[in-house]
Amino acid sequence: MTAELVRGQNHPLTQTRLEIRVSAGAPIVAGATLSDDQGKVHGRDWVAHPGAPALPGLEVPRQAAADHRLAVDLDAVPEAAHRVSVLLALPTGPGDPDRFGAVAAPFLAVTGLDGSEVASYTITDLDAESAVVALELYRRQGAWKVRAVGQGYAGGLGALLTDQGLPDAGDLAGEIGEAVARGLARAVAPPPPRTAPSGASAMADATGATATSHAASPGTPPPAGPPRSNPPQASAEPQSPPGPRPTHDLQPQARPSGRTGGAGPVNYTHPGRQAPAPPAPAPTASPGAPGQPAVPVAGDATGWSMDERLYNQVWGMFEDLARCVAAYRSAVDFADSRREQELDKALSDPRSRIGGQGDVAREAARAKHGQLVDRAKEVLDRDLAQLAAESAVVEPALPPAYAGWDNPVWHAYRSPMEIPMALRLGDLQLPESRNVGLRIPMLVRLPLERGMWIDSGRSGADALTESDELRRRAMRSAVEHAARLLAVYPAGEFAVHVIDPAGSAAGVLAPLVRAGVLAGPPAAGAAGVSEVLARLTQRVDLVQMAVRGGAADALPPDLDTAEQLLIVNDFPHGFDDRAVTQLRYLADEGPAVGVHLLMVADREDAAEYGPVLDPLWRALLRLTPVPGDHLADPWVGHAWTYEPPNVPPGSRILEQVLEEVARARRDLGI
């Protein structure tokens, strides 16, 4: 249960890897300090701020924004540090508010990595203060606790840092102000408040949406927000989709999406999706004409930012499509079962075999079956039309990380300053949704929690495609995924390596090579393969030892701290037993320390290894270069068709995006 703290109250922390969310009514600066048991900050290298956002076990945002996320790993905090203080301050630029009394009360929530909220705190009674120590995480008898502090300073950051014992507090406060000024143009403004539509009272039974993934469990944010528009309602006679869903790859992270159940004979909104909404209000759908669904609105879900609202809305659409199709299939199954029962009953009675009674009974059973199926199809078509209308509104509003390559948002692409919440890996659809062209973006959370395997082998969907063409498509898909990852990460925070033992993918890799965005030339030959794998394996070893030993600040100065992606082409050709073992090690241990695999391989080519490689394939998310029905959804039993996010034929958008990535890297001297 979430602890709602008041000033001075503390609460024990049972997790060491946390996320601290901050929401305010105006762009603010978020930072943190490490201090000893006396509350003294030993130097500026114990202060995390937009100009130097990372400390051991701590990372803060790089710019002023209305919404923030701070990452904390208490196990990695140095032993000498006994307190982690979360600081908030107002920017000092022209036109910015000069006191917290002029903005909405800041709200903070401490959550686990799975989204479950541990504690929350609203800082009230601030007036002339322009900087505040909001929260404090501190050690007590070998355990960590969180305390609501709310100590404000009218003298700003300089006075706050001076009070914490920092000698050059004024100079550091000035440097922080300069760093904020450089990034303030990209600050995330709070969404404008929307008034609930007049028809909202008719949706009093609306419930919020929470979904689960293989790495998360539902969380509960603070106060309730306005409901979103009616989701599709499907009608099936006695059956409905199953209850609490199991964990699987097609489910989103734990985020409140605020989707609501509207009027209809059966409400298929899952009880597990009931969750209050965070403070930031989402756009509210306008009511439609009487008897018609509400007009869809992009961002019509709860969340701390527009990106999070869109993320939650997309996964809410996925759930709604799964439900309405499951309800339709259930209704058809029921109609089939009822027809068979009525036919068996009619034929089992000897009297029905005399005269035309049997024919009449059979015709009545078939007519009833047709009515049930037609009714279910009518409801399905209505629901699909509503989802298609919502998709038509949401797709153009998606940010680059969520958008397809054909979205115009890529034509205005600029290198971002912060890592997005999720990444689009393709599209998902069901056979029933193909007639209306409805596809749901397949979004996965960042940073990636597992590697990817693009299957270049034959499947039922591509039985007529030549083997060489499949390999070329698979490698092209890998290049497009790598380009998207480079584009959505800030410049210098993502690096791509390539292993191409025989050089067979030189033509497909040309866009990455020409743009100069690779960490080095594609590795070829046995020596090149061995050198790249040894270097990345050593990186995983070093980071693991540093984290486990609590000495993250002792890493070699030349170690690249960016996330690493290794593209492996044509596996297992050109790989000896040692290289195969290293790949298995990177697949298992790499994601936890920022090293990810993107394998292009045909599993049949590696059949000679037998079960030795089974753990490798299981550790990777299987994707295909052509549409394939291989992503299973055990929640309702669907097999989803995956479609890769291909660049439109003849488009140069991939090259343009990579040129912008290269320009941003050059500006940083990379």
Side-chain angles (χ1 to χ4, degrees):
M1 183 176 178
T2 304
E4 297 182 5
L5 306 179
V6 297
R7 183 169 296 166
Q9 184 180 359
N10 60 49
H11 185 74
L13 298 173
T14 58
Q15 305 178 58
T16 57
R17 299 186 67 186
L18 303 167
E19 186 177 77
I20 300 176
R21 300 181 174 191
V22 182
S23 179
I28 60 173
V29 181
T33 60
L34 302 178
S35 56
D36 58 20
D37 55 353
Q38 302 299 318
K40 181 178 180 180
V41 178
H42 287 193
R44 60 171 56 205
D45 57 343
W46 277 31
V47 182
H49 57 83
L55 292 179
L58 185 62
E59 187 168 358
V60 304
R62 296 173 178 268
Q63 64 182 40
D67 300 303
H68 288 294
R69 287 187 181 90
L70 288 73
V72 180
D73 184 354
L74 296 175
D75 286 338
V77 172
E79 287 294 329
H82 288 256
R83 301 181 189 176
V84 179
S85 300
V86 178
L87 319 178
L88 305 179
L90 294 172
T92 56
D96 293 322
D98 58 357
R99 60 190 185 91
F100 274 107
V103 300
F107 173 84
L108 295 93
V110 180
T111 71
L113 293 185
D114 59 2
S116 58
E117 191 170 300
V118 179
S120 63
Y121 174 43
T122 302
I123 309 176
T124 57
D125 300 328
L126 294 178
D127 187 11
E129 298 89 345
S130 57
V132 61
V133 179
L135 292 175
E136 182 179 83
L137 312 180
Y138 64 98
R139 302 180 197 261
R140 179 61 57 86
Q141 298 177 347
W144 285 91
K145 293 186 176 184
V146 58
R147 177 188 291 124
V149 180
Q151 175 63 52
Y153 295 83
L157 264 181
L160 186 156
L161 295 173
T162 299
D163 191 46
Q164 293 194 351
L166 189 66
D168 55 347
D171 294 340
L172 181 57
E175 294 176 14
I176 295 174
E178 294 174 2
V180 171
R182 289 194 296 269
L184 194 56
R186 290 181 177 267
V188 181
R194 303 287 185 102
T195 57
S198 58
S201 59
M203 303 160 67
D205 61 340
T207 56
T210 301
T212 342
S213 82
H214 58 279
S217 58
T220 307
R228 60 159 272 144
S229 59
N230 298 353
Q233 300 293 318
S235 175
E237 285 225 357
Q239 299 180 2
S240 64
R245 64 173 70 184
T247 297
H248 59 89
D249 281 335
L250 291 183
Q251 294 168 3
Q253 288 278 358
R255 289 287 184 259
S257 67
R259 298 173 69 88
T260 61
V266 181
N267 185 350
Y268 283 97
T269 303
H270 196 282
R273 298 177 71 185
Q274 296 178 358
T284 307
S286 302
Q292 298 297 319
V295 179
V297 175
D300 185 14
T302 58
W304 295 79
S305 64
M306 177 57 81
D307 283 5
E308 185 171 0
R309 291 196 291 270
L310 288 169
Y311 172 85
N312 291 327
Q313 186 172 16
V314 166
W315 277 111
M317 292 165 59
F318 167 82
E319 289 187 350
D320 286 340
L321 178 57
R323 288 180 196 285
C324 69
V325 170
Y328 169 72
R329 293 178 180 179
S330 176
V332 172
D333 289 344
F334 170 75
D336 292 343
S337 174
R338 179 169 177 170
R339 178 186 59 187
E340 295 303 321
Q341 291 175 3
E342 292 179 351
L343 289 176
D344 289 344
K345 182 179 179 180
L347 295 176
S348 64
D349 187 354
R351 292 173 298 180
S352 65
R353 301 172 189 170
I354 303 174
Q357 295 183 17
D359 294 337
V360 172
R362 283 192 289 270
E363 185 61 31
R366 293 191 184 99
K368 182 61 175 177
H369 174 272
Q371 292 174 2
L372 292 174
V373 172
D374 290 345
R375 189 187 312 165
K377 186 65 166 62
E378 180 183 352
V379 174
L380 175 68
D381 290 343
R382 182 197 66 196
D383 294 345
L384 292 179
Q386 185 176 342
L387 277 171
E390 185 173 13
S391 177
V393 172
V394 170
E395 277 284 357
L398 295 177
Y402 304 174
W405 286 113
D406 56 349
N407 193 311
V409 71
W410 284 107
H411 294 282
Y413 166 77
R414 291 295 180 269
S415 182
M417 297 187 67
E418 290 191 347
I419 300 173
M421 184 176 180
L423 178 78
R424 185 172 187 160
L425 291 184
D427 295 326
L428 299 171
Q429 65 171 276
L430 294 170
E432 289 83 353
S433 66
R434 288 173 186 161
N435 292 336
V436 295
L438 176 60
R439 296 174 175 84
I440 307 297
M442 179 181 173
L443 304 180
V444 297
R445 290 294 304 273
L446 291 178
L448 297 173
E449 297 177 354
R450 61 193 299 197
M452 293 177 284
W453 160 37
I454 301 180
D455 190 354
S456 59
R458 293 180 179 274
S459 65
D462 49 71
L464 301 179
T465 307
E466 293 292 335
S467 176
D468 290 343
E469 174 64 14
L470 276 176
R471 295 178 188 275
R472 190 185 67 81
R473 289 187 185 182
M475 194 59 195
R476 185 177 63 190
S477 181
V479 168
E480 292 170 356
H481 284 303
R484 181 182 289 265
L485 282 162
L486 283 166
V488 303
Y489 271 78
E493 295 191 18
F494 198 87
V496 177
H497 310 260
V498 177
I499 290 179
D500 186 19
S504 59
V508 181
L509 290 169
L512 296 174
V513 175
R514 282 198 301 263
V517 294
L518 294 177
V529 172
S530 177
E531 190 274 331
V532 172
L533 289 177
R535 176 157 35 90
L536 290 178
T537 301
Q538 182 186 44
R539 184 189 187 279
V540 172
D541 289 338
L542 287 173
V543 176
Q544 280 188 339
M545 288 188 294
V547 171
R548 291 170 182 169
D553 54 348
L555 288 169
D558 59 343
L559 183 77
D560 185 3
T561 58
E563 296 276 314
Q564 310 288 314
L565 177 71
L566 174 60
I567 302 177
V568 179
N569 182 42
D570 213 15
F571 178 82
H573 305 296
F575 292 81
D576 56 22
D577 291 345
R578 177 179 174 81
V580 171
T581 301
Q582 289 174 320
L583 279 175
R584 286 186 54 184
Y585 178 72
L586 292 177
D588 291 337
E589 305 293 336
V593 291
V595 178
H596 313 281
L597 279 184
L598 178 51
M599 303 238 334
V600 178
D602 180 357
R603 189 168 183 173
E604 292 184 4
D605 291 344
E608 64 185 44
Y609 287 94
V612 173
L613 288 182
D614 286 350
L616 175 62
W617 307 122
R618 287 196 298 266
L620 303 175
L621 172 63
R622 178 175 176 255
L623 303 175
T624 54
V626 293
D629 302 332
H630 67 278
L631 292 177
D633 177 4
W635 174 38
V636 286
H638 296 329
W640 291 79
T641 297
Y642 166 79
E643 294 187 0
N646 296 327
V647 174
S651 173
R652 291 197 70 256
I653 193 62
L654 184 70
E655 289 78 6
Q656 294 173 11
V657 169
L658 290 175
E659 289 170 4
E660 171 60 20
V661 172
R663 183 201 62 77
R665 289 163 60 91
R666 288 193 301 269
D667 291 346
L668 292 177
I670 301 174

